[in-house]
């Protein structure tokens, strides 16, 4: 039996992050409110350190290492924001970090991970089983594996973003959360249940990869092929054991957003709110606009999960 993390763990994570993570701003937009006929509160994790909420979970997990674990180091696998989150957290805590990244990861992300001081090992994602490779390296070198989402300390850390949101704006009727492997959604649901028990929490996935929706509705974890979507932070193939355990208990439903609607949301944030939000970070607002949820007259929280998109790609997406 798994012991699922609780809101107490989110509180403890919040204390560990104090003075290390940013308390990100909550922004509102008159245009968004008029469009949805609702009061919309955007929790801007695109302004978090390294550009996404993943710093919260990574830093919380590494803060809990024993002296021996710190000395030996951390290992993880990721093509994106988790890699940078582990690398930065490890540097801040003086822990050596090894990250496995796919050969075809965006060069800017590989570069950023190296720049934070991590050792990056590249692998061929079509030939290697990265999880097996990671476990083998961890065993050989005595490293502690911190996976991107299915870990109690990662989930608890991610939950601190929604905790801050509720503390700042009070109760909400809806909370819309981007969903990949479910660390952010599970953590957010823990905070919502504790701080605003009537709030309906929704996960939002890319339309092309709705394994989370299928899992939620069928009651068992569904595995899919890597989905083709511009939401690269949510190209996961399945939920985790811990994340699914919390999501099935505390989440109201999982809905989807198309790539076209993600681009529309990116344009909205850039033009109207003068911010850069990466495609995955737009899932919540895209669903607010197009998923047919009964938001009129309600107080709606939307987590903008990250802002890491290189400008050339941003331009291409908006021009298409
Ligand atoms: C990782 C990530 C997600 C998905 O988070 P999970 O915890 O895997 O569900 C969403 N948005 C961004 C920007 C991410 O980096």
């Amino acid at each position: 039996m798994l012991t699922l993390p609780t809101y107490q763990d989110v509180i403890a994570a919040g204390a560990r992050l104090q003075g290390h993570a940013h308390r990100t701003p909550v922004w509102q937009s008159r245009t968004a409110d008029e469009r949805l006929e609702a009061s919309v509160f955007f929790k801007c994790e695109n302004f978090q350190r390294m550009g996404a909420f993943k710093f919260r979970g990574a830093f919380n997990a590494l803060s809990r290492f024993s002296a021996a674990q710190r000395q030996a180091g951390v290992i993880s696998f990721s093509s994106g924001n988790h890699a940078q989150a582990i690398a930065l957290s490890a540097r801040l805590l003086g822990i050596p970090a090894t990250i496995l990244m796919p050969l075809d990861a965006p060069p800017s992300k590989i570069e950023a991970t190296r720049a934070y001081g991590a050792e990056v090992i590249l692998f061929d994602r079509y030939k290697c089983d990265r999880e097996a490779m990671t476990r083998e390296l961890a065993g050989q070198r005595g490293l502690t594996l911190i996976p991107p989402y299915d870990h109690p300390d990662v989930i608890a850390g991610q939950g601190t973003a929604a905790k801050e949101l509720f503390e700042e704006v009070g109760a909400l009727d809806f909370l819309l959360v981007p969903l990949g492997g479910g660390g952010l959604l599970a953590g957010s649901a823990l905070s919502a249940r504790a701080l605003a028990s009537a709030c309906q929490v929704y996960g939002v996935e890319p339309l092309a990869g709705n394994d989370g929706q299928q899992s939620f509705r069928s009651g068992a974890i569904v595995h899919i092929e890597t989905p083709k979507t511009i939401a690269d932070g949510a190209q996961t193939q399945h939920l985790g054991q811990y994340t699914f355990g919390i999501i099935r208990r505390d989440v109201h439903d999982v809905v989807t957003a198309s790539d076209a609607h993600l681009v529309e949301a990116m344009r909205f944030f850039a033009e109207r709110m003068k911010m850069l939000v990466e495609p995955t970070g737009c899932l919540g607002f895209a669903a607010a606009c197009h998923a047919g949820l009964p938001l009129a007259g309600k107080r709606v929280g939307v987590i903008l999960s990250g802002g890491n998109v290189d400008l050339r790609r941003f331009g291409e997406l908006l021009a298409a």
Side-chain angles (χ1 to χ4, degrees), residues 8 53 61 257:
Q8 291 309 313
F53 72 92

Side-chain angles (χ1 to χ4, degrees), residues 50-54 80-82 109 148-149 154 158 177-186 232-234 236 239 243 247 278-283 304-308:
M50 56 58 60
F53 72 92
K54 286 219 172 61
N81 288 333
H82 180 66
K109 296 209 166 166
Y149 52 87
V154 172
Q158 318 306 33
V177 185
L179 170 58
L184 182 62
L185 178 59
D232 55 343
T236 37
L239 300 178
T243 59
I247 288 168
E278 65 182 274
T280 317
C282 291
L283 282 163
L304 305 185
S305 51
N308 291 330

